[in-house]
Amino acid sequence: MAVDAAYLMQFVDETSFYNRIVLSHLLPSNLWDPLPHFIQTWLRNYLAGTLLYFVSGFLWCFYIYYLKLNVYLPKDAIPTRKAMLLQIYVAMKAMPWYTLLPTVSEYMIESGWTRCYSRIGEVSWILYFVSIATYLVLVEFGIYWMHRELHDIKPLYKYLHATHHIYNKQNTLSPFAGLAFHPLDGILQAVPHVVALFIVPIHFTTHLGLLFMEAIWTANIHDCIHGNIWPVMGAGYHTIHHTTYKHNYGHYTIWMDWMFGSLRDPLLEEVDNNNDSSKKAE
C-alpha cells in the first residue's frame, strides 16, 4: 500500500472530523479550536473516554444493583458506595494518561508508520474480517502475557498492578473497577492494541472502536456475574483472578489460559466450595 501524503491526509481528516464531533458538543469552540491537532485529539479521547466510563458504569450498576437486585447478586455482594467512589477516583486520576495511548497511536497512523488503512473498500470483506480476527488474537496473546508478567515480576506487581488488586472480594468489585489501575499498568495492558497495528493491516476506525470498547468490556468483567458463555472470559473467570491472583489472566477468551495452563473454571470453583462447605458441616 502506497503511503503518500495525500493518502495520509485521509487519516488526519478523519481524526479532525472526530475531534469536531466530540469537542463541539462538549466545549465552546474558543477553548479547543486554537489547539494543535495532537492536543485536540488527546482532549477528544480524554472527554470521550471519561464519558464512556461513566455512562457504561452507571448504566451497568443501575441495572444489576437496582433493577435486578437479588437476581444476579445477593444484596450483601453489592459493593459499597465508598468502594465504588474509590474506584472512580483511581480511574479518573489515570484517565488523562490512559488516553495518551490512543492519541499516540493515531499520530503514528497519521504519520504512516503502521499498517492501518483508511477505507474498508480498499480491501475485500473477507480480508477485512480476517484482519480483525488476526488483530484480536494478537491483542489477546499480548494482553495475556502482559497481565501475567505484571503478576509474576514482583516489582511490577508491587508498584503497579497491586493498585487494581485491592479489589479482591466479590463485594469490592464493581463495573467501575474496570479502569481503576495505576496509569502505567493500564497503558501497558492496552499496548498490544498498538503493537498489533505494526503487524496486521487493520481498518483505522475499527481499531479506534475496538480500543474504546475496552472501557465497556472491562466494566463487564468486573461485575462478578458469570455469564457462562464459552469461550468468553467473563466476570466469573475474572472474579477468580481477583481472588486467587494466579489464574485467568486472559482478556476476551479463555483460550490463552487454557493453552498456558492458568485456567480455572468458575463452575468447578463453585463445586469445590460447596464440597468444602459440606465437609465443614460434617
Side-chain angles (χ1 to χ4, degrees):
M1 184 187 295
V3 188
D4 56 24
Y7 184 81
L8 294 177
M9 276 305 298
Q10 294 183 50
F11 295 120
V12 177
D13 290 343
E14 192 166 347
T15 54
S16 297
F17 172 72
Y18 297 146
N19 292 347
R20 289 193 301 274
I21 289 292
V22 173
L23 297 178
S24 65
H25 284 85
L26 298 177
L27 294 172
S29 60
N30 63 305
L31 293 182
W32 62 268
D33 199 40
L35 298 174
H37 177 72
F38 183 89
I39 302 299
Q40 285 188 20
T41 301
W42 170 80
L43 188 59
R44 177 250 296 169
N45 286 329
Y46 172 70
L47 293 174
T50 300
L51 192 62
L52 185 61
Y53 173 74
F54 278 109
V55 170
S56 60
F58 277 119
L59 288 177
W60 203 241
C61 287
F62 180 73
Y63 181 74
I64 62 177
Y65 299 153
Y66 295 98
L67 289 184
K68 296 293 183 178
L69 180 63
N70 292 322
V71 174
Y72 296 118
L73 294 171
K75 191 171 182 179
D76 60 359
I78 296 175
T80 64
R81 187 175 300 174
K82 182 179 178 180
M84 289 190 280
L85 287 173
L86 177 61
Q87 291 159 10
I88 291 170
Y89 172 72
V90 173
M92 286 300 95
K93 280 204 307 182
M95 189 66 76
W97 303 101
Y98 291 161
T99 49
L100 268 179
L101 186 68
T103 305
V104 170
S105 80
E106 289 178 54
Y107 174 79
M108 293 189 293
I109 292 165
E110 291 168 356
S111 301
W113 301 348
T114 71
R115 301 193 67 188
C116 266
Y117 55 90
S118 177
R119 303 286 183 265
I120 294 177
E122 296 173 33
V123 299
S124 67
W125 281 105
I126 292 176
L127 184 57
Y128 171 72
F129 286 112
V130 168
S131 68
I132 291 176
T134 307
Y135 174 91
L136 289 174
V137 169
L138 288 174
V139 168
E140 181 78 10
F141 179 84
I143 292 177
Y144 173 87
W145 280 107
M146 184 65 74
H147 191 183
R148 187 163 179 168
E149 293 310 304
L150 282 162
H151 279 266
D152 292 348
I153 300 173
K154 298 308 177 187
L156 291 181
Y157 182 82
K158 180 179 179 180
Y159 295 109
L160 298 181
H161 200 50
T163 299
H164 184 63
H165 271 275
I166 63 171
Y167 317 112
N168 57 8
K169 295 182 178 65
Q170 189 179 49
N171 63 358
T172 63
L173 285 165
S174 83
F176 289 114
L179 292 180
F181 291 90
H182 184 286
L184 185 55
D185 181 1
I187 289 170
L188 286 172
Q189 293 199 59
V191 157
H193 277 279
V194 178
V195 173
L197 298 177
F198 295 88
I199 302 170
V200 183
I202 187 79
H203 177 236
F204 174 50
T205 307
T206 301
H207 157 69
L208 290 182
L210 290 171
L211 196 52
F212 273 87
M213 280 295 290
E214 289 290 323
I216 297 173
W217 181 250
T218 56
N220 171 64
I221 64 174
H222 287 87
D223 66 11
C224 298
I225 300 170
H226 182 45
N228 195 22
I229 304 173
W230 187 91
V232 175
M233 176 65 75
Y237 288 96
H238 197 70
T239 303
I240 289 175
H241 171 75
H242 272 265
T243 55
T244 70
Y245 299 86
K246 57 184 179 181
H247 299 95
N248 303 349
Y249 301 101
H251 193 55
Y252 300 118
T253 73
I254 65 173
W255 289 335
M256 295 298 161
D257 285 282
W258 174 74
M259 287 172 60
F260 297 110
S262 54
L263 183 64
R264 192 159 181 175
D265 191 309
L267 296 181
L268 296 178
E269 182 85 356
E270 187 176 337
V271 170
D272 290 343
N273 289 339
N274 289 338
N275 289 339
D276 289 343
S277 299
S278 299
K279 288 177 183 178
K280 288 178 182 178
E282 292 171 2

